[in-house]
Amino acid sequence: MRGWTPEHPSASYLLCTDPASRLLIVRGVRAAGAGVGSWDLPGGEVGAGESPLDAVRREVRRELGLAFDLLPDDLLGVEWAQARGAGARDRLVFLWSGPMLSAADTDRIVLDARELTDWRWAGPDEARLLHPVVADRARERLRWPGGVTYHEARGPAGRTRGVDGPS
């Protein structure tokens, strides 16, 4: 099946916190200078022949210079995200629970300048920096830890609706 591309490409992201329950967020090179939605969670696209777990390990190692021993049980949720633009495709998004990072951990962060321009800790009031769908995804996981959930982000507003978890 040469030239075949999946109907639903996948992405895999990591949710890391600090002892103050703030989220580690990153700003991509392409988003620098943009407003709302210019920050994201560490992670990215799942490559061909790569598992979502391997992808998040690779992306975090490349983007932040940190290696985490993530396990399949660290999966927090899977979301189907409906395409929102011409030429865009629906995608599957995997969200993983990362470790709580100490100051010593964050001292080891080395950004890949080809990918990221900045990182920071974001408290609940700073969720506006994230795309609304990403902010909802992260907030929900911090409020309702434990158990894997499945979500669907539909429509132009990109609202997330819980299917078998709290919403």
Side-chain angles (χ1 to χ4, degrees), residues 14 16-17 24 26 42 54-70 98-112 116 119 121:
L14 189 66
C16 288
T17 58
L24 182 124
V26 296
D54 287 339
V56 77
R57 288 177 183 144
R58 173 187 51 77
E59 286 284 343
V60 170
R61 189 172 45 253
R62 187 179 75 209
E63 290 178 353
L64 302 174
L66 300 175
F68 298 127
D69 188 23
L70 300 171
M100 181 180 295
L101 300 180
S102 67
D105 294 324
T106 58
D107 286 347
R108 294 188 347 250
I109 290 177
V110 177
L111 297 179
D112 179 346
L116 301 176
W119 74 272
W121 290 112

Side-chain angles (χ1 to χ4, degrees), residues 79 81 84 130-138 153-154 157-160:
E79 178 177 87
R84 283 180 274 151
L130 297 166
H131 185 281
V133 171
V134 177
D136 287 347
R137 186 183 303 145
R154 295 181 177 263
R159 289 202 169 94
T160 301

Side-chain angles (χ1 to χ4, degrees), residues 17-23 100-101 121-124 142:
T17 58
D18 71 356
S21 295
R22 297 178 298 175
L23 285 174
M100 181 180 295
L101 300 180
W121 290 112
L142 291 174

